[in-house]
Amino acid sequence: MANATLNALGQEIFETRYAYPGETKWAERAKVIAKTVASAEKDDEKEKAEKRFYDAVGSGDFIPGGRIIFGAGRNRGNHNLLNCYVIIPEDSVDSIGKTVQDMYKISCAGGGVGFNVSKIRPQGDDIGSVQNSAPGAVSVLQMINEVGEHVRAGKNRRTALMGILNITHPDLLEFLSVKLDQGELNNFNISVAITNRFLEAIELGEDWYFTFNNKEYHSYDLTRNGDEIISVLGMDEEDALARAENFNKVAWTDTFEMIGQRDIKARDLWDMIWKNSVESGDPGIYNIDLANSYTNVSYFERLDSTNPCGEISLPSYGNCCLGNINLNNMVLDDGSDLDWKRLAKTVRTGIRFLDNVLTVNTFPTEECKKVGERSRRIGLGVTGLHYMLIKLGLRYGSESCLEFLERLFGTIRDEAYKMSIYLSRDKKPFPEFDYKKYLEEDFAKTLPARIRMLIKRYGIRNAVMLTIPPCGTISMLHGVSSGIEPIFSAMYNRRYRHNNIWKEQLVVDPLFQEYYDKKKNLEPFIGAYDVAPEDHIKVQATVQKFIDSCISKTINLPPTSTPEEFSQAALDYAPYLKGLTVYRAGAKEGEPLQAIALTKENIEKHMGEQAEVSVAAGDVCSLTGGDC
């Protein structure tokens, strides 16, 4: 296959972020990547595997994760090639200290880290004989965030972190407040881990109380200095007053008086989450029950957190080994269909490639190595989906689009699983494989009968293997739309500062420019904010059925959206999605991009100008340290 030719932006990204000293062409990096990853093969297979990998990577059919692109062949091969990890701290000084230490090691090696801090005792609990002294779960995140301020990895990239707290944890309200009201945890994306029981409580109109170690915590109203009303969580009135004395004083002379218990309605808590999310972009939700049931690993792992961009659910010290099928390359030249044989070949190559990466990778800690080898978890995803849809003449989110996506991702799933079975036959299954338990897992039950039969006969090499990363930078590298996101806009104004002067430039999506120049149909070019929120969710829900891990996807909301409107839509789809993240246009000040509506007048006006052709990258993970 021909080598991919990078556009001007892609070449700039390649040279500034990925190129090894002396490399000037993508083909040079692709050759090193292929050789490095093929070194995991037996001697008589290395040459053939290296050519197969080079053909896929060099042509841009398969795009490895950012850490693989950057790290392959560096430091004599002694380099971390995995994007992201997860650490779940236990409720002890030793565990918290080790968490901070290991986070620093992983971040310095270029990996992003996700955390679920729900095992940490709540603020105000006793520590031994010292009453009401525990600093709480949020304090652990604050320590990690401070360390993250001093981490620079790769080519001066900041660390990427995810903070998750369970909906049941008594520190939840503080968790939301410290990020959103106080502007802290700036290195973190945050998510609330919701449960089936919480969703049921919303439907039934029930009160919601918090729990930790089988203790119930209720909300109490108190007055501070006789007038200001505050709410404090406690196990009873006496406990709530004691916690207020320790943690709610503004001045040392402040006094508190109890008013009484006032529990929160589950629906009010749900609405609060989405009010914050619609207004500021945080938090997302992580459906922890669905993530732990719709998988293949529940019989030996607990998936308490995701990586920073949310595309893969992981156990403590689990990793994500990422690579993506470039769907834009799979469209036939006449736009009539996909080249399904090329797609199947690329999927199979991608699975073998990523499995090899696990073998040649240098893990940042021994725990990461042990957990990575236990399941041989990989994450094959896709990018360029919207470009593919545009070329096929399918409107993003339409019924015909959803039907096509079912066929597409069913094919990707089946080809990926068959390849992992063949690898298991030729090598061996992942160490924790037990065919009876594996085939009883909820995701494995969705596989076709012939594939389940093959798993029983030969085993499977990788416990789970499918995900949807955001693919922000690597999509721009190859000049395609990112992940499964729609393009941001066919045309937009970009504001940026140069020499302390604000400038503005018109940016035109390159595929739109090509279609405009060739006088082709422009109707499929709808931007992220032109897609109805429910159509965004429908695409994610459709794809999720065929993905054994999670999906990184942003639901874009127009500036007029209200939290109340989206709260109900989120509730309707929450049982079917492992994660959900929204962003409302204008939610954050100083947004650098402003979409231009595709009216006839705007097209005639702006396409007549000298436009700078770039890539509308869409919404990507806002924390780029893990470089998904």
Side-chain angles (χ1 to χ4, degrees):
M1 294 184 183
N3 286 320
T5 301
L6 306 182
N7 62 25
L9 176 62
Q11 185 66 26
E12 179 185 349
I13 291 171
F14 170 64
E15 292 177 0
T16 57
R17 298 194 65 155
Y18 298 119
Y20 192 80
E23 292 177 347
T24 60
K25 298 178 181 178
W26 172 248
E28 295 170 324
R29 181 96 292 257
K31 185 175 182 180
V32 174
I33 293 169
K35 187 176 184 65
T36 301
V37 177
S39 68
E41 300 282 350
K42 296 177 181 178
D43 289 343
D44 59 348
E45 292 285 336
K46 285 182 181 178
E47 185 176 346
K48 184 166 62 175
E50 182 178 341
K51 183 182 186 305
R52 185 184 302 124
F53 295 157
Y54 177 75
D55 286 346
V57 175
S59 65
D61 284 3
F62 176 75
I63 309 175
R67 297 312 306 160
I68 300 171
I69 297 174
F70 175 82
R74 294 179 191 265
N75 299 338
R76 298 180 181 177
N78 184 26
H79 202 87
N80 169 51
L81 303 178
L82 308 189
N83 289 71
C84 304
Y85 297 81
V86 154
I87 305 176
I88 311 296
E90 301 290 334
D91 189 35
S92 71
V93 171
D94 288 344
S95 178
I96 293 169
K98 182 170 171 50
T99 294
V100 174
Q101 179 185 37
D102 289 346
M103 166 266 171
Y104 184 69
K105 289 180 182 178
I106 292 169
S107 295
C108 288
V113 191
F115 306 86
N116 185 321
V117 290
S118 299
K119 292 183 178 181
I120 307 299
R121 73 189 69 185
Q123 184 186 77
D125 269 23
D126 298 344
I127 300 180
S129 61
V130 184
Q131 294 183 335
N132 304 118
S133 56
V138 173
S139 71
V140 174
L141 295 179
Q142 290 169 325
M143 283 191 286
I144 294 168
N145 188 76
E146 179 59 31
V147 172
E149 289 291 329
H150 304 280
V151 173
R152 290 294 182 268
K155 294 197 174 180
N156 201 37
R157 293 171 307 165
R158 59 193 281 245
T159 187
L161 306 172
M162 167 66 82
I164 292 180
L165 195 67
N166 292 358
I167 192 72
T168 54
H169 197 281
D171 286 344
L172 182 72
L173 299 181
E174 183 197 6
F175 173 72
L176 297 176
S177 173
V178 74
K179 168 78 172 181
L180 307 173
D181 299 335
Q182 301 173 37
E184 299 184 31
L185 303 182
N186 292 323
N187 291 304
F188 276 93
N189 287 331
I190 66 169
S191 282
V192 177
I194 63 168
T195 62
N196 293 335
R197 179 67 191 93
F198 177 64
L199 295 175
E200 180 183 50
I202 297 172
E203 295 287 356
L204 297 176
E206 295 177 351
D207 290 337
W208 186 254
Y209 58 86
F210 301 96
T211 59
F212 187 82
N213 282 352
N214 298 316
K215 297 177 292 186
E216 292 184 9
Y217 296 71
H218 295 269
S219 180
Y220 295 89
D221 284 343
L222 296 81
T223 60
R224 181 161 50 200
N225 300 326
D227 52 6
E228 182 186 3
I229 298 177
I230 63 171
S231 294
V232 178
L233 287 180
M235 289 177 279
D236 53 37
E237 291 188 357
E238 181 181 355
D239 183 52
L241 279 167
R243 290 171 191 260
E245 289 284 345
N246 271 19
F247 295 100
N248 293 87
K249 279 190 172 183
V250 177
W252 70 273
T253 56
D254 285 351
T255 60
F256 301 91
E257 292 185 7
M258 176 60 63
I259 297 175
Q261 181 176 326
R262 183 178 61 84
D263 280 327
I264 304 169
K265 289 286 186 184
R267 179 64 195 236
D268 291 342
L269 184 55
W270 177 258
D271 289 341
M272 180 193 305
I273 290 170
W274 291 112
K275 179 178 185 296
N276 288 337
S277 189
V278 170
E279 292 182 355
S280 69
D282 272 312
I285 60 168
Y286 173 49
N287 189 335
I288 196 169
D289 282 351
L290 184 62
N292 279 280
S293 62
Y294 197 61
T295 182
N296 298 325
V297 298
S298 70
Y299 68 91
F300 67 94
E301 288 185 333
R302 174 74 186 172
L303 309 175
D304 282 327
S305 181
T306 72
N307 68 319
C309 290
E311 73 265 25
I312 195 158
S313 48
L314 295 167
S316 192
Y317 290 99
N319 62 74
C320 47
C321 176
L322 301 176
N324 302 279
I325 309 301
N326 182 358
L327 295 175
N328 178 63
N329 281 20
M330 301 300 138
V331 183
L332 294 172
D333 290 341
D334 62 4
S336 60
D337 200 356
L338 296 189
D339 185 336
W340 293 97
K341 289 184 179 179
R342 183 176 182 176
L343 174 66
K345 179 180 179 181
T346 307
V347 171
R348 293 193 295 268
T349 300
I351 293 294
R352 188 177 201 111
F353 179 100
L354 294 176
D355 184 69
N356 280 7
V357 169
L358 287 179
T359 301
V360 302
N361 183 60
T362 300
F363 290 86
T365 74
E366 278 302 310
E367 289 92 340
C368 293
K369 186 175 190 293
K370 179 180 177 181
V371 175
E373 292 177 346
R374 180 177 70 196
S375 64
R376 299 197 67 84
R377 174 185 278 101
I378 57 176
L380 181 71
V382 302
T383 195
L385 181 136
H386 195 200
Y387 269 20
M388 176 200 70
L389 293 176
I390 290 170
K391 290 182 175 181
L392 294 173
L394 297 172
R395 181 181 174 87
Y396 191 97
S398 66
E399 191 61 31
S400 56
C401 162
L402 301 179
E403 290 174 358
F404 184 82
L405 293 182
E406 289 192 339
R407 180 188 175 193
L408 170 65
F409 283 95
T411 299
I412 292 173
R413 177 200 63 190
D414 294 352
E415 292 296 334
Y417 271 74
K418 284 189 291 185
M419 186 63 202
S420 189
I421 292 167
Y422 300 148
L423 289 175
S424 176
R425 178 195 62 191
D426 297 341
K427 299 181 180 181
K428 58 183 179 180
F430 67 92
E432 291 290 335
F433 178 71
D434 178 316
Y435 87 85
K436 289 183 178 179
K437 294 178 180 178
Y438 189 88
L439 291 176
E440 283 302 307
E441 293 283 334
D442 283 358
F443 189 86
K445 288 179 180 178
T446 70
L447 297 171
R450 68 186 186 283
I451 293 179
R452 289 171 56 83
M453 180 272 294
L454 289 172
I455 291 173
K456 181 178 179 180
R457 179 179 298 173
Y458 298 115
I460 196 161
R461 180 71 168 166
N462 314 98
V464 288
M465 63 201 80
L466 300 171
T467 182
I468 304 291
C471 303
T473 306
I474 60 175
S475 296
M476 289 189 284
L477 175 71
H478 283 275
V480 299
S481 59
S482 58
I484 62 167
E485 301 286 3
I487 61 174
F488 174 73
S489 181
M491 302 183 294
Y492 60 86
N493 284 317
R494 171 181 174 245
R495 294 182 70 245
Y496 63 100
R497 187 185 292 273
H498 180 70
N499 294 333
N500 291 322
I501 298 173
W502 280 103
K503 293 188 175 184
E504 187 173 289
Q505 69 179 168
L506 174 68
V507 181
V508 178
D509 183 276
L511 187 63
F512 181 77
Q513 182 78 54
E514 177 187 329
Y515 271 49
Y516 177 82
D517 292 342
K518 294 180 178 179
K519 296 182 171 50
K520 298 175 73 172
N521 179 24
L522 302 178
E523 290 183 7
F525 285 91
I526 57 173
Y529 292 104
D530 300 317
V531 178
E534 190 164 344
D535 288 341
H536 274 285
I537 299 176
K538 285 178 181 177
V539 168
Q540 183 175 347
T542 298
V543 175
Q544 183 66 82
K545 290 187 296 185
F546 303 95
I547 300 297
D548 53 26
S549 194
C550 301
I551 293 174
S552 179
K553 170 91 179 77
T554 299
I555 311 303
N556 298 93
L557 305 178
T560 55
S561 292
T562 65
E564 293 77 16
E565 290 173 342
F566 190 75
S567 177
Q568 185 57 49
L571 185 61
D572 291 340
Y573 281 93
Y576 311 105
L577 301 173
K578 292 184 179 180
L580 187 59
T581 304
V582 305
Y583 186 79
R584 178 179 59 84
K588 295 181 180 178
E589 294 182 2
E591 291 179 345
L593 308 181
Q594 182 179 14
I596 297 173
L598 279 187
T599 62
K600 180 180 179 181
E601 293 75 17
N602 280 342
I603 293 174
E604 291 175 351
K605 173 185 176 182
H606 294 293
M607 295 305 288
E609 300 176 8
Q610 185 64 35
E612 175 173 330
V613 178
S614 185
V615 176
D619 290 277
V620 300
C621 178
S622 61
L623 300 171
T624 57
D627 198 17
C628 300

